[in-house]
């Protein structure tokens, strides 16, 4: 008697799961059949489509998902494809999803995100197109690089994305030759083209753009090459505090001034390449809350710095020397948010390439406790 009770309990508990399993097995069979019978249009039958969608639901975000959508020519999942492309641009599924959107002429959907207010999303979509790197992707990217209505971080992402394919590199080279490249992208594009595997592109770019110079007036190698070098942590730490003047603006574990962000855990936040970019081209991507403000005073004087506080009556600005200055609003003519970082763009000039690698090596050791 008791045994039957337990048996019934197991049956009832187990049954919903088994029903799901049965459904999943059925759906899998349908999908397999559809893959074999290539003549059937999934989109024409609501029942078949429902089975395929249930099957896909369990595989969201994977390369298998994108593969099935491609092979079955399934329509109506474009938003999910875009989500995958944005979330994992540098993966098989991300590239597959973005490629499919381009092939199916959903360029509008892609541009909608690039044009949207969310800069982080826009730069990720752009990155995805760069990893796709085919003619269709390049065509979408081309007009964006010179479009000054777009923010600098988006245009920088576009230049980097174009630099991932030969077609894109050639296009960047043409823009440089025609002198159409916006000056704020000089560093990004020089870095991309000096690192090209095409010798003629490297020779050609050298006629137009230089990489930043170090202490001995020697140009730096491109960042991809710098990032491969190994540095001396102790020397980097010393440079950070002394010659390179980083401590004038950055705190590390309680030491240093607070003009820029605290760098005590920067090694957990940025890749080596991103650290080189932060130092050599600070305005390419300005950290949130660290935008530079220019306060134009009635006297004609202009004071630049970070905005520490602002009320109806006054504004407080922290200048590059870490001095806070407060101005009464009735003596202020205009307050402008600048697109230029407060961090100087030529800090490498007092260092050698080796010094710079040492500083980045040191930054790389600054990790969140326990990692
Ligand atoms: C005059 C002040 C100043 C000096 C000197 C300076 N920085 Fe900065 N730094 C800033 C400011 C302000 C920011 C934030 C704005 C931005 O992202 O450009 C910043 C941002 C950074 C970032 C990015 C931080 C993040 O969270 O993304 C890194 C890395 C960095 N600096 C490293 C350095 C190093 C290394 C040096 C020395 C070689 C240095 N800085 C010298 C002011 C300075």
């Amino acid at each position: 008697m008791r045994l039957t009770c337990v048996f019934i309990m197991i049956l009832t508990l187990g049954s919903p799961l088994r029903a799901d399993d049965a459904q999943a097995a059925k759906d899998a069979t349908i999908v397999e059949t559809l893959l074999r019978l290539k003549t059937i249009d999934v989109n024409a039958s609501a029942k078949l489509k429902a089975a395929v969608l249930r099957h896909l639901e369990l595989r969201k975000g994977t390369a298998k998902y994108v593969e099935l959508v491609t092979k079955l020519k399934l329509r109506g999942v474009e938003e999910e494809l875009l989500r995958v492309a944005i979330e994992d641009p540098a993966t098989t599924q991300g590239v597959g999803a973005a490629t499919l959107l381009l092939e199916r002429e959903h360029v509008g959907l892609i541009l909608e995100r690039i044009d949207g207010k969310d800069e982080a999303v826009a730069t990720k979509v752009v990155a995805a197109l760069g990893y796709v790197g085919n003619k269709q992707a390049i065509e979408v990217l081309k007009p964006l690089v010179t479009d000054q209505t777009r923010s600098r971080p988006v245009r920088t992402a576009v230049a980097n994305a174009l630099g991932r394919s030969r077609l894109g590199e050639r296009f960047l080279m043409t823009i440089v030759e025609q002198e159409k490249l916006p000056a704020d992208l000089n560093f990004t594009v020089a870095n991309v083209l000096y690192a090209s595997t095409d010798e003629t592109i490297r020779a050609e770019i050298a006629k137009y753009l230089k990489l930043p110079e170090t202490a001995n007036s020697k140009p730096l190698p491109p960042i991809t090459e710098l990032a491969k070098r190994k540095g001396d942590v102790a020397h980097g730490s010393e440079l950070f505090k002394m010659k390179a003047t980083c401590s004038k603006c950055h705190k590390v574990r309680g030491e240093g001034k607070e003009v820029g962000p605290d760098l005590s855990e920067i090694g957990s936040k940025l890749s080596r390449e991103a650290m080189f970019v932060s130092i050599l081209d600070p305005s390419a991507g300005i950290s949130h809350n660290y935008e530079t403000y220019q306060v134009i005073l009635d006297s004609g004087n202009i004071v630049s710095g970070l905005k520490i506080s602002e009320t109806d009556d006054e504004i407080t600005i922290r200048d590059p020397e870490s001095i806070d200055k407060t101005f009464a609003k009735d003596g202020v003519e205009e307050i402008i948010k600048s697109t230029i970082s407060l961090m100087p763009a030529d800090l490498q000039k007092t260092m050698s390439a080796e010094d710079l690698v040492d500083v980045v090596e040191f930054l790389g050791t600054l990790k969140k406790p326990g990692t």
Side-chain angles (χ1 to χ4, degrees):
M1 184 65 186
R2 217 183 282 157
L3 242 168
T4 3
C5 269
V6 173
F7 187 64
I8 289 169
M9 254 173 67
I10 291 174
L11 249 183
T12 43
L13 277 175
S15 58
L17 227 166
R18 245 178 277 161
D20 272 2
D21 282 354
Q23 181 67 267
K26 248 194 225 165
D27 294 341
T29 312
I30 292 175
V31 168
E32 253 171 59
T33 314
L34 284 170
L35 284 171
R36 248 179 288 129
L37 304 173
K38 290 185 182 107
T39 47
I40 297 177
D41 179 7
V42 200
N43 303 290
S45 154
K47 240 185 175 169
L48 287 178
K49 195 169 175 177
V52 170
L53 285 174
R54 271 194 308 270
H55 185 78
L56 285 175
E57 185 66 29
L58 306 170
R59 289 158 182 81
K60 267 188 173 171
T62 66
K64 191 77 197 165
Y65 181 99
V66 179
E67 186 195 319
L68 287 173
V69 171
T70 310
K71 284 193 175 153
L72 296 171
K73 301 190 171 68
L74 183 71
R75 302 271 164 176
V77 288
E78 286 71 30
E79 280 294 338
E80 174 61 15
L81 290 174
L82 192 57
R83 194 191 65 77
V84 174
I86 293 169
E87 200 162 284
D88 301 308
T91 59
T92 304
Q93 63 265 33
V95 167
T99 306
L100 204 51
L101 286 172
L102 289 167
E103 275 169 10
R104 295 184 180 177
E105 291 170 7
H106 289 293
V107 174
L109 205 60
I110 291 172
L111 282 174
E112 214 173 85
R113 298 300 157 93
I114 299 178
D115 293 342
K117 283 211 173 72
D118 192 333
E119 202 168 75
V121 166
T123 51
K124 283 193 182 152
V125 174
V126 162
L129 294 177
Y131 284 107
V132 172
N134 64 14
K135 196 163 184 328
Q136 284 161 313
I138 304 295
E139 287 305 319
V140 177
L141 293 171
K142 269 179 175 180
L144 308 180
V145 76
T146 49
D147 180 354
Q148 298 268 29
T149 63
R150 294 174 195 276
S151 74
R152 178 158 175 195
V154 170
R155 285 182 295 113
T156 303
V158 171
N160 280 317
L162 284 167
R164 292 196 176 279
S165 62
R166 187 55 48 82
L167 271 179
E169 283 182 349
R170 291 217 185 100
F171 174 72
L172 288 174
M173 195 59 240
T174 313
I175 291 196
V176 171
E177 284 164 349
Q178 294 172 347
E179 293 176 12
K180 283 189 193 147
L181 185 72
D184 59 3
L185 293 184
N186 279 351
F187 175 81
T188 308
V189 170
N191 247 293
V192 162
L193 296 184
Y194 272 99
S196 171
T197 50
D198 182 337
E199 211 178 300
T200 54
I201 288 183
R202 289 201 307 273
E204 191 62 14
I205 190 63
K207 295 183 200 159
Y208 293 91
L209 293 176
K210 283 205 171 78
L211 284 167
E213 285 185 354
T214 53
N216 48 12
S217 304
K218 268 210 229 149
L220 280 169
I223 287 176
T224 43
E225 204 187 308
L226 284 171
K228 287 185 203 143
R229 297 189 187 171
K230 185 113 189 79
D232 176 338
V233 176
H235 189 230
S237 163
E238 190 190 312
L239 286 163
F240 187 90
K241 286 178 207 142
M242 309 297 292
K243 198 166 77 177
T245 70
C246 317
S247 292
K248 263 184 64 183
C249 293
H250 292 286
K251 253 201 171 101
V252 168
R253 312 225 159 109
E255 249 186 89
K257 290 194 175 163
E258 241 183 326
V259 180
D262 189 315
L263 298 182
S264 302
E265 294 177 355
I266 196 69
S268 302
K269 182 186 168 191
L270 298 182
S271 67
R272 284 171 79 85
E273 299 209 356
M275 286 183 201
F276 282 109
V277 174
S278 287
I279 300 170
L280 298 169
D281 194 19
S283 301
I286 298 176
S287 314
H288 185 54
N289 281 338
Y290 287 92
E291 294 89 357
T292 309
Y293 284 80
Q294 287 192 317
V295 178
I296 302 168
L297 301 169
D298 285 347
S299 64
N301 205 6
I302 301 174
V303 180
S304 300
L306 306 177
K307 186 164 79 176
I308 300 302
S309 66
E310 183 176 6
T311 64
D312 287 346
D313 304 323
E314 51 185 39
I315 180 164
T316 301
I317 293 291
R318 179 167 298 167
D319 77 4
E321 303 302 321
S322 192
I323 299 167
D324 292 352
K325 294 175 178 166
T326 301
F327 303 97
K329 281 272 181 76
D330 47 16
V332 171
E333 199 164 291
E334 212 182 341
I335 299 165
I336 302 170
K337 189 169 156 182
S338 166
T339 54
I340 310 284
S341 174
L342 199 62
M343 178 160 155
D346 56 359
L347 287 168
Q348 85 291 339
K349 273 194 175 151
T350 61
M351 294 186 264
S352 64
E354 289 68 36
D355 286 346
L356 187 61
V357 172
D358 291 349
V359 170
V360 167
E361 197 73 50
F362 164 63
L363 294 180
T365 65
L366 303 176
K367 297 223 160 128
K368 275 195 185 128
T371 56

